Amino acid sequence: MHLSSLPASSASSHPLAPYGWDEGWEAEFAPYAEQGLLPGRVVRVDRGQCDVVTPGGTVRADTEFVVPRDPMKVVCTGDWVAVDPDGSDPRYVRTLLPRRTAFVRSTSSKRSDGQVLATNVDHVVVCASLAVELDLGRVERFLALAWESGAQPVVVLSKADLVPDPVTLGHLVRDVETAAPGVPVLTVSALHGEGLDTLGALVGAGTSVLLGQSGAGKSTLANALVGEDVMDVQAARDVDGKGRHTTTTRNLLPLPGGGVLIDTPGLRGVGLFDAETGVGQVFAEIEGLAGECRFHDCAHDSEPGCAVMAAVESGRLPARRLDSYRKLVRENQWIVAKTDARVRAELRRDWKRKGAEGRAAMEAKRGRLR
């Protein structure tokens, strides 16, 4: 019987339901079911091949027929696909179903292409280790991309057992909460099992992806959540707390309590990629204050009537937050301008205007000093 002939309620009892299959995916797949193809979810991609979990088990499939010129459409862990039926040799992925969400960063190439790290995720779990000094700017960067993906971000402060003083731990949590408005912030110790129940309940529904620097404890967390050692783990260096990239591919793992988890390699660079909405959400308080500025195009620098600078001067807004906001806005504008001629022209006009204003200010200053 083809999948398309099954009643809609059968989605919950489908063999792929533990991997996230639902009525929506069933409807998307119906045309391919009529062609005799099988549904599946990509659990790993490696050198033009991918492991796909299907109703009959996990199969190895070639991606030759779904290799686009657009790097944003390359097969990725988390994708739902249509594959050849049993008996086909070799087996191929024939098509990708439309993605609901995608976590994308810019590559390190000069072309600044986008790289999709995980797809069809409901939660982006940003891991930050308490074994080293917290980098709030990096957390904000991850969160901007997480919000832009369409998923719900979560921050996990791992290795909490290394901060035994509850007062100090509380201060660290509040610092992160300030940098992550509207985002749950959890402290977890995989070593002692603390906080795992809360995290497990949160990721137990839908698909979650673990992201963070190498050494953040992602693979240890993955093992703890799965309940067995499915990922290799190595100790972080004592000098800087960095790991050794024990995870080299993105792997999709079913969780015993429900839901699936995508573990990822440690990320050295997290470049923004067209994340204007995400940046705005991370810095919602600054965007709100900007609406109170005297000028609608206020740069929040030295303009009169700037509500943002007034908040910094009064202590209501940390100066670090404004610096981080400016940095991410500039970076995102640069990335967008690389592919959008209109944005490039607007930036050039803005630079010329600011340059003229700066020269005028210098001339006025010289006039006062004469």
Side-chain angles (χ1 to χ4, degrees):
M1 179 183 291
H2 286 321
L3 196 63
S4 58
S5 63
L6 294 173
S9 60
S10 67
S12 61
S13 58
H14 192 276
L16 291 176
Y19 288 88
W21 184 263
D22 58 27
E23 294 177 9
W25 292 121
E26 189 166 356
E28 290 281 1
F29 188 76
Y32 306 106
E34 293 174 355
Q35 300 172 28
L37 298 175
L38 288 177
R41 193 166 195 192
V42 177
V43 297
R44 176 176 172 168
V45 179
D46 183 26
R47 298 178 183 177
Q49 302 272 318
C50 62
D51 293 334
V52 182
V53 60
T54 72
T58 302
V59 302
R60 189 75 167 162
D62 197 296
T63 63
E64 180 180 347
F65 295 117
V66 284
V67 179
R69 293 183 178 180
D70 185 351
M72 297 281 283
K73 297 179 181 178
V74 172
V75 176
C76 183
T77 301
D79 275 328
W80 286 97
V81 299
V83 297
D84 288 329
D86 295 337
S88 302
D89 186 23
R91 298 180 83 156
Y92 291 94
V93 173
R94 295 295 175 173
T95 193
L96 274 67
L97 299 189
R99 293 164 174 167
R100 293 179 180 175
T101 62
F103 187 97
V104 183
R105 69 167 177 176
S106 68
T107 65
S108 57
S109 70
K110 293 181 180 179
R111 293 181 299 171
S112 299
D113 293 326
Q115 180 190 21
V116 183
L117 298 184
T119 63
N120 301 313
V121 297
D122 302 290
H123 297 98
V124 174
V125 182
V126 178
C127 297
S129 171
L130 291 176
V132 294
E133 184 177 354
L134 282 173
D135 185 344
L136 297 178
R138 177 172 285 268
V139 171
E140 289 161 342
R141 180 179 291 272
F142 270 108
L143 292 177
L145 293 174
W147 282 121
E148 194 69 31
S149 76
Q152 167 67 50
V154 181
V155 177
V156 167
L157 302 180
S158 63
K159 306 183 183 182
D161 52 283
L162 298 180
V163 187
D165 178 25
V167 175
T168 301
L169 185 60
H171 286 316
L172 291 171
V173 170
R174 284 190 289 276
D175 285 344
V176 176
E177 287 175 339
T178 300
V183 176
V185 179
L186 310 178
T187 57
V188 173
S189 169
L191 180 65
H192 299 306
E194 297 171 359
L196 288 176
D197 288 345
T198 303
L199 178 59
L202 193 150
V203 302
T207 300
S208 302
V209 59
L210 287 175
L211 295 168
Q213 285 184 288
S214 185
K218 299 184 304 301
S219 294
T220 302
L221 275 180
N223 288 338
L225 291 168
V226 173
E228 57 181 297
D229 292 340
V230 292
M231 305 303 298
D232 291 333
V233 176
Q234 291 184 11
R237 296 194 298 253
D238 291 334
V239 175
D240 54 13
K242 293 182 179 179
R244 300 182 180 87
H245 294 284
T246 53
T247 302
T248 57
T249 58
R250 296 184 283 278
N251 303 275
L252 188 146
L253 311 166
L255 299 175
V260 290
L261 185 71
I262 299 176
D263 189 26
T264 64
L267 299 175
R268 290 191 179 92
V270 193
L272 296 188
F273 187 80
D274 198 4
E276 180 181 358
T277 300
V279 172
Q281 200 142 358
V282 174
F283 298 94
E285 80 278 33
I286 296 179
E287 300 251 315
L289 287 167
E292 302 173 14
C293 292
R294 180 182 302 177
F295 304 109
H296 76 278
D297 60 347
C298 183
H300 318 308
D301 187 6
S302 57
E303 296 87 347
C306 175
V308 175
M309 289 305 299
V312 172
E313 292 166 2
S314 68
R316 288 189 297 130
L317 177 68
R320 187 207 65 79
R321 283 281 284 172
L322 179 56
D323 290 341
S324 184
Y325 173 72
R326 288 169 172 161
K327 180 179 180 180
L328 294 187
V329 167
R330 285 195 303 268
E331 179 180 329
N332 193 68
Q333 287 177 335
W334 182 84
I335 289 293
V336 174
K338 294 280 284 187
T339 56
D340 192 320
R342 180 184 59 80
V343 173
R344 283 199 300 273
E346 289 178 353
L347 285 177
R348 278 197 294 268
R349 286 195 295 270
D350 189 46
W351 291 334
K352 289 180 180 178
R353 178 181 62 81
K354 290 181 178 178
E357 291 174 351
R359 287 191 295 272
M362 288 299 295
E363 289 297 328
K365 184 177 181 179
R366 290 193 188 101
R368 289 194 300 270
L369 293 175
R370 286 173 183 161

